[in-house]
Each structure stands twice: as C-alpha cells, then as structure tokens.
Amino acid sequence: MSPRWLGRCPECEEWGSLVEESDATAASGAGVRTVAVLPAGAERPVPITAVDPVGATVRSTGIGELDRVLGGGLVPGSVTLIGGEPGMGKSTLLLQALGDLARRGVRCLLVCAEESCEQVRLRAQRLGALSDGLLVVADTMLPNLIAHVTENEPQVLAVDSIQTVFDPESPGTPGSPSQVRACAQQLVRLAKDRSITTLLVGHVTKDGNLAGPRLLEHIVDTVLQFEGDRHHALRMLHALKHRFGSTQELGLFEMRESGLFDVADPSELFLADRRLEATGSVVTAVLEGARPLLVEVQALVAPTPAPMPRRSAQGLDAGRLSLLLAVLEQRAGLSVVGADVYASVAGGVRVNEAGADLATALAVASAHVDRPVASDTVVIGEVGLGGELRQVQQTGRRLSEAARLGFRRAIGPPSTPEVESMVIVRCATLSEALAAAGLVPGD
Ligand SMILES: Nc1ncnc2c1ncn2[C@@H]1O[C@H](COP(=O)(O)OP(=O)(O)OP(=O)(O)O)[C@@H](O)[C@H]1O
Ligand SMILES: [Mg+2]
C-alpha cells in the first residue's frame, strides 16, 4: 500500500504496477452482510457427484511431448500460459498444436497480437500447419478479441502474446502489469464461461519471471515454461504449475526448420557428445517424471590462491554441491580446500533430485585425483551426511535404461536391485564407492 501516487513499486521495482483502490466502504463497514438472497439465474451449490467431469475428456494436442507435460492433453475450458525467452519457439509450438487440432476438426482461433497474419501464414506453411479450420486474426484490442470469440465460437483460443493485448477500460499502458492482469482475468472468465480451451503466450522478463512478477501464475490453470539454449536445437518444456496433473514431466523437443520435433531417445541425445574415459565425468540416471533419463555430471577442480575458492553448480543445486564437498572431506578424506570447484550437468538439463548425489561426488573426486571413472559405469544413489549411501526411488527402472544404452556396471547403495546384463557394485559408504570407482587418492 502506498498513500500517494507512485510510478514504480518500491517492492517489486516494476513500473506502473500500482493501482488506486478506495477503502471507504471497508472503513465505514457498509459492505458487511450476514443475510442475502441469491438473485435469479445465479449459480447454486450442487452435490459434487453431479458436477460434469470435464477433466476426463482431455484433448490430445497431437504433439507427443506437449501431451506428456500436460498429462495427456488440454482440458476443455482450461487456461494455459506458455512462457519462454524470445526465440525459444513459443509461437511455433502453438501453431503446430493448433494446426493439428484444426486438422482433426477442432474449431481453433489464433489471435496474433504481435505479428501480421501474413507472417503467421508463412510460419504455418514452413511447419506444415496450414488448415482451413484454423482461423487467424491480427488484433490487440481486448473487446475486439472477445467479439471474435463470440462470433466464431472457437473450441480452442490462442493469444500470442498476452503482453500485447490491450484493454481500454483498464489502467496502464499495454504490457504493464495491471493491463496484463486485467486482460488475462477477462480471458480466463471467457474460457470458463464458454468452456474454451485457452492458450496464452507470455514473455519472460529480464529477470526470468513469467509475464511480470509471477503475475499470472495464480490466475491461470497451467503454466508451461519453454527453455533451451538459443544456439542449440534442444528445447525443454516444464510445467511450473498444473491444476490437472503432475508438474514433474519434462518435454523434450528438437527445433528444426520444419518445426519442433519430439525427441525420441533423450538419453542417447544427452550422452551423444560424451568423451569416453574423461576425468571428472560420471553418468547417472535421473527420473524426469515417469521417464528415466541418463545424464552426464561433469566436474572441474582447479587450484586457486584465492582465500574464498569458487563453488559453481550448473544444472545442479549449489547448496547440494557444497554439502557433498563437505561430506567428501569429512567422511571420505578427500579435501578440495584451496581449489575452485565447478560442477555441471551436460546438455543443459536441470537435475534437482538426490539420485545424482553419488555421481556428483565421484565426478568431483575423479577431477581431483585426475583419474577417469570407467565409461561403461553408471552411478546412482543419494549421499547422506554420515557419508552413507541410500537408494532413490525406482532405481531398477533407471538401471534398465542404463543397460539399454550399453552400460555394464553400476555403483550404488547396498539395496541396489539386480538388473540383467549389469554388474552391480554395492557400497555402504562414499569411501567404499570411491574405492570401487578407483578414485582413492594415492592408491
Ligand atoms: N526458417 C527457419 N529455419 C529454422 N529455424 C527457424 C526458422 N525460423 C525460425 N526458426 C526457429 O524458430 C525460432 C523462433 O520461434 P518462435 O517464433 O516460435 O519463437 P517465440 O518463442 O515465439 O519468439 P518471440 O518471443 O520472439 O515471439 C528461432 O529461434 C529459430 O530457432
Ligand atoms: Mg512468438
């Protein structure tokens, strides 16, 4: 709250995000009521069993990896926000999905608020997404947008992007937080009232937030984040919020000239450029939703005279790395004091589960003693503060995936299950694992 007009919010430092509100009614108590009569036509409570189970009728988007992240497809009447940095492929994904839906007879309307219809047609041609059932209109005015929906009654509505839509009846300039919120709120109401599956594209601001400071997250049903390195073809799709399913699934795409393609074998892709017998490199299997994924954890240990050596973690949790370095030192006698430590997950994946602990610790140890871990070895397990190793969920499935990709040896905790065609080396502690991997200093 601010007692006077301010152009910029002192808390979130966003321009134009403050809106004037009167609290005269609250102060006088005039709005307080204990008895009221429902006006005619208002919604009445019903038994929950009498409610239409719309969730059961999810509609596939025709894009396998998008369906995977959505838990099967789009729920009618749901609102999904797709965010990502410029050039990530948001418009591409949207157009491919709409093209496919339209071809299957679903009435689709794409409102391009950023590009001309000609530009969108060119893209649709490149992606093979042309279809008579897909209507496009270039418009930025919210009242017009609602009129287009009223006139055409689409089943799926897509707006690219929500930042460029303008509501003349709300305060603020186009793209300002108050405008974005007002427009999104009206579109959500439209979606719920008419059961229109709605897809909104949102920009990511410089500090990485979706469409302003987490502005729309509460309003929409699902928030998807599109990530990747602009200079590489790999794109990753995560659900940050999903009211109809898990947020654990990871969608993987390859960006080609003719559009986004599902990555058929992600483990193979992540290990494609691995240098065999390299020091500081250890392969582990993580679980991304329902799918085990093989990734390479890399570490570099570089001596430094600096009093505060660097600890850098990319794709891994920095706190977890510090913890593992402390356990390595205190429980396994391997100290990296006086050296910078860099650890990363190759391929740009983000790993935030304990299953990669042992692999990270062994990668650091391998870099430190300058000896490689055998390249046919996969390492799976959590490291406890006492230096003990623990099993992580679904280790069997992770190992089977490793076996499929040609790994023949696994290092893990004592409870690691048997897997066909693989030698399992069971270790109770981190020290034992270091010995099993041939990484004990001075050996
Ligand atoms: N002719 C082309 N051949 C190959 N790839 C292309 C071609 N045109 C575009 N791309 C790819 O598509 C990407 C842009 O996709 P798209 O327009 O869907 O991104 P966006 O996320 O909507 O970006 P913005 O936020 O700027 O609207 C480019 O970064 C490039 O990788
Ligand atoms: Mg775009």
Side-chain angles (χ1 to χ4, degrees), residues 72-391:
L74 292 162
V75 173
S78 67
V79 181
T80 303
L81 177 69
I82 305 172
E85 287 181 14
M88 237 356 94
K90 302 178 293 292
S91 307
T92 307
L93 184 69
L94 205 62
L95 197 53
Q96 278 184 232
L98 289 187
D100 202 278
L101 284 162
R103 236 170 293 145
R104 282 180 283 140
V106 180
R107 285 192 311 281
C108 297
L109 172 63
L110 172 61
V111 179
C112 354
E114 258 174 21
E115 295 165 296
S116 66
C117 291
E118 290 75 15
Q119 275 174 306
V120 175
R121 180 189 164 123
L122 270 179
R123 181 183 293 128
Q125 231 160 304
R126 173 162 61 85
L127 304 175
L130 283 180
S131 164
D132 288 335
L134 171 56
L135 302 179
V136 286
V137 61
D139 212 326
T140 56
M141 300 301 279
L142 185 73
N144 297 0
L145 202 157
I146 295 171
H148 295 315
V149 170
T150 319
E151 237 170 63
N152 297 288
E153 298 187 342
Q155 291 162 288
V156 176
L157 166 71
V159 181
D160 188 358
S161 70
I162 185 71
Q163 266 90 357
T164 37
V165 178
F166 182 64
D167 177 12
E169 285 174 16
S170 299
T173 49
S176 66
S178 50
Q179 271 288 332
V180 171
R181 188 171 16 201
C183 293
Q185 265 161 349
Q186 297 215 39
L187 289 174
V188 169
R189 204 168 314 144
L190 192 70
K192 304 290 169 198
D193 281 358
R194 295 171 170 260
S195 192
I196 302 171
T197 308
T198 303
L199 294 156
L200 307 175
V201 169
H203 289 179
V204 167
T205 56
K206 268 180 261 153
D207 46 2
N209 278 318
L210 253 180
R214 315 200 89 182
L215 200 61
L216 302 181
E217 227 169 314
H218 303 288
I219 306 176
V220 300
D221 297 310
T222 301
V223 181
L224 302 181
Q225 171 94 318
F226 217 178
E227 287 175 338
D229 187 336
R230 221 176 309 174
H231 307 291
H232 287 99
L234 184 71
R235 299 285 188 272
M236 283 168 265
L237 189 71
H238 283 281
L240 300 182
K241 161 181 174 175
H242 192 23
R243 282 191 179 144
F244 313 107
S246 151
T247 54
Q248 298 292 312
E249 292 294 341
L250 172 71
L252 290 163
F253 299 95
E254 189 188 335
M255 176 66 96
R256 299 195 206 146
E257 181 167 359
S258 48
L260 289 158
F261 285 78
D262 294 348
V263 173
D265 194 341
S267 295
E268 195 177 61
L269 179 86
F270 286 131
L271 299 183
D273 296 325
R274 183 167 69 113
R275 260 183 58 224
L276 300 181
E277 305 298 332
T279 61
S281 155
V282 176
V283 173
T284 187
V286 294
L287 216 56
E288 285 290 348
R291 172 165 65 173
L293 212 63
L294 262 70
V295 293
E296 178 189 1
V297 181
Q298 293 185 320
L300 185 67
V301 177
T304 174
M308 288 281 286
R310 287 189 62 156
R311 305 287 181 243
S312 157
Q314 242 179 51
L316 291 160
D317 181 54
R320 201 79 204 159
L321 175 64
S322 301
L323 184 147
L324 291 169
L325 296 182
V327 176
L328 267 173
E329 179 170 344
Q330 296 298 321
R331 307 291 184 185
L334 192 141
S335 168
V336 286
V337 170
D340 289 336
V341 178
Y342 302 88
S344 73
V345 180
V349 216
R350 212 174 289 148
V351 172
N352 32 19
E353 62 150 302
D357 278 1
L358 186 56
T360 310
L362 293 195
V364 171
S366 159
H368 182 63
V369 302
D370 199 25
R371 259 180 259 158
V373 172
S375 54
D376 66 345
T377 302
V378 63
V379 176
I380 304 168
E382 179 182 351
V383 177
L385 287 182
E388 78 282 11
L389 304 188
R390 298 211 181 108
Q391 200 191 130

Side-chain angles (χ1 to χ4, degrees), residues 51-69:
V51 178
D52 194 16
V54 277
T57 57
V58 292
R59 185 182 280 138
S60 161
T61 61
I63 302 178
E65 292 292 291
L66 178 57
D67 284 350
R68 173 195 295 282
V69 177

